Amino acid sequence: MNSSLVQDYSLHTHTIGFDGINAPIDMVLRAKELGFKSFGISNHFIVHPEITQSKFYPHAVLRGYDSIYSSSFDEAIAKFKPHYTELRRISEKCDIKLYFGMEMDFFDSPDWFRGFERTVTELHPDYIICASHFIYYNGMLRNVYDMGSADKKSRDDMLKIYWDKMARAGETGLFNWMAHLDLPRKVGVGNEDCWAEYERYAIDKIASSKTAIEINTSGYDRSLTEPYPSARILKMAAAKNVPVLLADDAHCVDKIGRHFDCAAEFAKSCGITKFLTCGNILGKTY
Ligand SMILES: [Zn+2]
Ligand SMILES: [Zn+2]
């Protein structure tokens, strides 16, 4: 057992069949090897009726990860049922605590809320991470790459929609925690200080529902000097006492636990004192 771990669990991970590379069992074995006490798998659960009509969709098909997108909740739930059955089989045999999660994209519509309820009732996930990989702008779903390649006015409009959506998602209190809050930084969007007021509004809403946030260490592998979220946002989170956990967003075995030491130091330097245990985050006791 590795007693020097800054966090003895990892819950934000992806596997084969969705957009990960390795099988769940290989991810579990690697987590055990690293000394983690608990491990969770949180594949994408992205449902929107117009998802296949978006610009990015053909690229997803070409690269073979279109299975993470569904046009209906029925379709997404049908993909998760055999996945969770496989996880259940593994969890009976392995000697590490395995949790069944999902990384769900939030959309602010009555259909989405109904679908969310049904997903919880039918799949009983142990936890749900909130993500916003897409926004609806000018009659179409857009992702961060669309934001990155847009003209300044459209990019700014999209980023405002993005932050409003994060605030709205945060205040629902439906999620265990918020993933990669400032994801548009992936394409260099939103770094300027003028965005601080939008970020602060979202943090206030997240704090109001007592939802946690993650420090997503994949940012370090994208030649960003900071993970997601930035120091600017983490300082706001610290001031509002928003609880924090470390997330590797591992899509393969080699990325499990990546940069956790570095991220913990970074968080402390931003004034974060409240780190969650696995029990805290799953039981929402924070
Ligand atoms: Zn994500
Ligand atoms: Zn992820």
Side-chain angles (χ1 to χ4, degrees):
M1 182 62 64
N2 185 347
S3 59
S4 64
L5 288 173
V6 292
Q7 181 178 287
D8 64 2
Y9 64 93
S10 172
L11 295 175
H12 185 161
T13 68
H14 301 272
T15 60
I16 201 164
F18 294 86
D19 67 341
I21 290 174
N22 296 109
I25 183 64
D26 295 327
M27 298 290 274
V28 168
L29 291 173
R30 176 63 181 152
K32 192 173 147 37
E33 189 178 87
L34 288 169
F36 287 118
K37 291 200 176 103
S38 329
F39 188 67
I41 292 174
S42 60
N43 280 304
H44 290 286
F45 193 103
I46 305 175
V47 180
H48 193 285
E50 294 171 36
I51 202 96
T52 60
Q53 293 147 40
S54 315
K55 211 170 91 188
F56 67 85
Y57 191 76
H59 298 280
V61 173
L62 266 179
R63 296 193 183 133
Y65 63 87
D66 49 303
S67 63
I68 67 173
Y69 305 115
S70 300
S71 302
S72 70
F73 279 86
D74 282 338
E75 194 186 324
I77 289 170
K79 286 174 193 166
F80 261 67
K81 277 189 175 162
H83 172 53
Y84 276 8
T85 301
E86 183 188 5
L87 296 190
R88 212 162 288 122
R89 249 197 320 267
I90 293 170
S91 100
E92 281 159 11
K93 282 186 287 186
C94 68
D95 48 2
I96 182 172
K97 188 65 197 152
L98 178 63
Y99 292 103
F100 308 178
M102 56 175 65
E103 180 180 2
M104 195 190 248
D105 268 56
F106 172 74
F107 292 102
D108 194 3
S109 75
D111 279 350
W112 185 90
F113 280 91
R114 273 192 294 274
F116 179 94
E117 289 303 325
R118 210 149 58 72
T119 304
V120 170
T121 310
E122 292 196 29
L123 293 173
H124 305 288
D126 292 314
Y127 60 96
I128 303 180
I129 312 171
C130 176
S132 184
H133 296 93
F134 303 98
I135 52 139
Y136 201 76
Y137 174 71
N138 240 349
M140 201 186 263
L141 280 178
R142 320 272 175 165
N143 64 13
V144 290
Y145 296 103
D146 296 322
M147 258 189 227
S149 61
D151 61 78
K152 184 173 173 0
K153 159 103 180 52
S154 311
R155 193 172 63 225
D156 287 356
D157 286 349
M158 285 191 250
L159 195 52
K160 282 175 195 163
I161 293 170
Y162 174 86
W163 279 114
D164 279 349
K165 192 160 168 275
M166 293 312 269
R168 177 71 188 110
E171 77 176 337
T172 64
L174 290 174
F175 303 98
N176 293 77
W177 77 90
M178 311 290 291
H180 41 62
L181 266 185
D182 50 359
L183 187 66
R185 277 180 47 240
K186 184 176 184 175
V187 292
V189 171
N191 290 311
E192 303 87 348
D193 282 336
C194 61
W195 294 103
E197 62 174 301
Y198 292 88
E199 296 164 356
R200 191 180 310 280
Y201 180 72
I203 285 291
D204 285 352
K205 294 294 182 189
I206 292 164
S208 74
S209 70
K210 302 205 183 316
T211 302
I213 63 169
E214 69 176 21
I215 299 180
N216 187 308
T217 58
S218 70
Y220 287 120
D221 285 357
R222 294 192 177 275
S223 69
L224 299 175
T225 51
E226 294 173 337
Y228 309 101
S230 66
R232 185 170 70 206
I233 296 175
L234 264 190
K235 285 175 188 167
M236 294 174 195
K240 288 278 172 181
N241 251 321
V242 174
V244 163
L245 74 155
L246 305 177
D248 49 47
D249 207 348
H251 285 64
C252 61
V253 291
D254 301 340
K255 303 289 185 188
I256 297 173
R258 61 176 147 176
H259 313 299
F260 273 9
D261 291 323
C262 191
E265 281 309 310
F266 174 73
K268 279 181 207 151
S269 76
C270 294
I272 297 286
T273 52
K274 211 165 168 182
F275 286 93
L276 296 170
T277 65
C278 188
N280 288 152
I281 193 71
L282 295 170
K284 282 191 159 187
T285 49
Y286 41 79

